[in-house]
Structures are given as structure tokens and as C-alpha cells.
Amino acid sequence: MSVTPRLSVIIPARNAIRWLPGAIASIGGRADIEILVVDDGSTDGTADYLRGIARSDRRIRPLVSAGEGPAAARNTGIAAAQAPLVAFLDADDRWRRGKLAAQLEMHRLYPDLAFSFTDHRRFAEDGASLAGGLARCAAFAARHAMRREGFVLDRDAQAQIYAEPVVATSTVMASTALLRAVGGFNEQLRRAEDWDLWLHLAACGPVGCLPQALSDKLVRVVDPDGHEALMRRASRRQVAEAYAAPARLLDEDAPRACRSNQLALDADGAALAGRRVQAALLRLSAFASQPRRDATRAGAWDLFRARGRQPALEARGS
């Protein structure tokens, strides 16, 4: 590219030829971007596909990583990025029309943002719609219920991101310079490296949120008792312990809310795998461990949502 792109899109891909063409197509035809697809040791023809598509779409720059996981693959993309902003897109996710324009405009209006994220929709592998992104985060949804346009989170952004899973990787746009300054994703973490980075960035600068669902996230079935699930739980515990103290300084209830929502994530995984009894028990444990403040709000939010209305709650700190 002879002109510096406005945005670098980073897609890590490992044996993702089934989904990768759809992910790239969902980016749209903007000419002011570059698309860095990092082949992370694929054996399914991903490399040949990328060489072919790069010949017809000059925005695409195929890169190679050593098969060490998504953290290292994304870091390869960050190191090669030419634009001042980076957006992350997983190979099995999709962006919705208008995402890039809306998020780029937010970063233009708020140039000091460390990063921004959007709401997202969630789907199972069979195409079934799952509970939405921010709608699963009761305290965040209640606090920002009146928001319709993009906004900057309050000074306790790190605690909000710690307490509930509000940030999905394929919704994030971040400062390239800041990503490099903090060292990118922690490659020592086998999972939850994205949550770790968002928490780190939230301590470095303001965080923006677009409450519109502008991305689609594929949620795959994982055996709750298998190796992958065990790695996820272990990594999440590691990150939770590392950030418990700073989160508590911002919101004393954040660690307890975090524990509750980690159990809720495990319940979602068990339900998706067809383990209904296990899912029910985990949900009971999640409810029992909620901070009283958030438990009350969650019940009210669920009640109004079930009736097809939003509660007229005043946005705290808005």
C-alpha cells in the first residue's frame, strides 16, 4: 500500500478455511484499511487460499505465525500493522454492516480512547440464536439502559470489564501504539488472554462502548469436563486473581460479581453441551454468589426483559 491505511484488521486463522471467507467478506469493501490474516500453522489449505485472494484484493496481507495460539498470532499482526488503529476479527465471527464506520467515528471523536467495543449477537454452530452479548451482563445493562449512542465508560471501566464479560474480541478496536506499548497479548496465557489485555488497556486510558450489536460471534460446543474447558477455567481464574485488587479499589463488589459471572459462563457452556443438570446447578451457584446489589438488579432486568420492556432505571454514573 502506498498510502498509510486508516485501520489494520487482524484475523488469526488456524484451520479455519470453513469460516475465513465469510469473515473477510463481512469486512466490506472499504479501501482505507489493510487486512492482516495470520495463518497460525494451518494444515487445511488456508495458506493457499490466502495467497490466491491476496492477488485479487490488495488490502490483504497474509502473515505466518508458528502455531503457538491466538495470542501469538494476534501479536504478529500487531507488529506488522501500519495503521494507527487495530480491529480484531476472529476467523469464525462476522461483522455487521456499519460497524467499522461507527467505531472509526467514535475514535475520531474521542482520540484518546485506549480501545472501544460494541455489543454483539451470539450464535451456536447450528445457527441458533443465543443470549445476546451485553444483555447477559445484568449490572452493565442496567447501568447503561438509557444509552443508545456511543459513550465513554466512567473511571471504573476496568471494574466493569472485570465484573462481567462485556467485551468480545471481535468487537474491539484499539490504539496500535498502546497495544505495542503494553506488549500486546500475554502469550503465557493459553486462554483468556483477550480478557487480560482489555483489563490492562482499561487501566491505561478511556474505554468507549457502542451499545449496538455490530458483530456476530460463533459459540462452539466444548465438553465441560474436557481439556479445553479446564484450560479456560484455569486461565480465567489466573486473570481474575491478577486483577482482583485493582478492581476492588474501583468497586468493592467487583470480585464477587466476577466470581458469579465466571460460574454463569460455565453454566452457559454446560447448557450448550446438553448438560442441563450441570448447567442448572452452576446457575444456582452463580445466583447465590452475586453481590446483593447486582442480584437485585439482575432480577429486575430479567423480569422487564421477559415482558418485552426495558426498566426505566437511571444510568448510574451517566
Side-chain angles (χ1 to χ4, degrees), residues 71-316:
R74 293 190 190 106
N75 285 344
T76 297
I78 292 169
Q82 300 180 42
L85 292 170
V86 162
F88 298 102
L89 175 61
D90 286 349
D92 52 4
D93 292 342
R94 303 287 184 271
W95 284 345
R96 289 184 167 259
R97 182 174 298 180
K99 176 190 183 292
L100 287 187
Q103 218 163 356
L104 283 168
E105 176 64 8
M106 184 172 207
H107 281 262
R108 186 189 72 81
L109 292 173
Y110 303 100
D112 293 333
L113 289 179
F115 76 98
S116 67
F117 65 96
T118 79
D119 197 359
H120 61 283
R121 294 181 172 91
R122 301 167 65 249
F123 295 89
E125 290 181 84
D126 62 2
S129 180
L130 303 174
L134 296 184
R136 298 189 305 151
C137 304
F140 190 92
R143 178 171 179 170
H144 303 294
M146 306 307 293
R147 305 280 195 179
R148 294 295 179 270
E149 303 298 328
F151 62 96
V152 178
L153 273 64
D154 293 327
R155 291 175 181 266
D156 65 342
Q158 188 186 54
Q160 294 182 58
I161 295 167
Y162 180 83
E164 296 179 303
V166 298
V167 183
T169 299
S170 291
T171 74
V172 169
M173 187 176 289
S175 160
T176 307
L178 183 56
L179 287 168
R180 289 173 177 164
V182 302
F185 294 86
N186 183 348
E187 297 179 21
Q188 302 305 310
L189 287 168
R190 302 310 298 170
R191 299 294 183 271
E193 73 286 341
D194 46 357
W195 185 33
D196 172 76
L197 181 57
W198 316 145
L199 289 166
H200 194 164
L201 293 179
C204 298
V207 178
C209 175
L210 284 163
Q212 300 90 16
L214 296 174
S215 299
D216 292 340
K217 176 178 176 57
L218 177 66
V219 182
R220 303 194 207 185
V221 176
V222 175
D223 179 358
D225 301 318
H227 180 65
E228 174 64 25
L230 292 174
M231 279 201 302
R232 291 184 184 184
R233 287 196 290 272
S235 295
R236 292 202 311 255
R237 282 195 299 270
Q238 188 176 349
V239 173
E241 290 170 2
Y243 288 91
R248 185 181 291 108
L249 288 175
L250 296 168
D251 179 354
E252 63 181 8
D253 288 329
R256 187 168 181 178
C258 177
R259 287 192 294 273
S260 174
N261 281 288
Q262 295 304 309
L263 288 167
L265 288 175
D266 290 338
D268 287 347
L272 199 61
R275 307 282 186 86
R276 296 183 180 180
V277 173
Q278 185 177 0
L281 291 173
L282 285 166
R283 292 195 194 287
L284 284 172
S285 297
F287 181 80
S289 63
Q290 285 180 337
R292 182 171 300 178
R293 180 186 67 186
D294 290 343
T296 302
R297 286 182 176 171
W301 181 256
D302 290 340
L303 175 62
F304 277 87
R305 189 171 57 187
R307 292 177 177 174
R309 309 197 332 242
Q310 286 186 340
L313 296 176
E314 184 175 337
R316 183 178 54 139

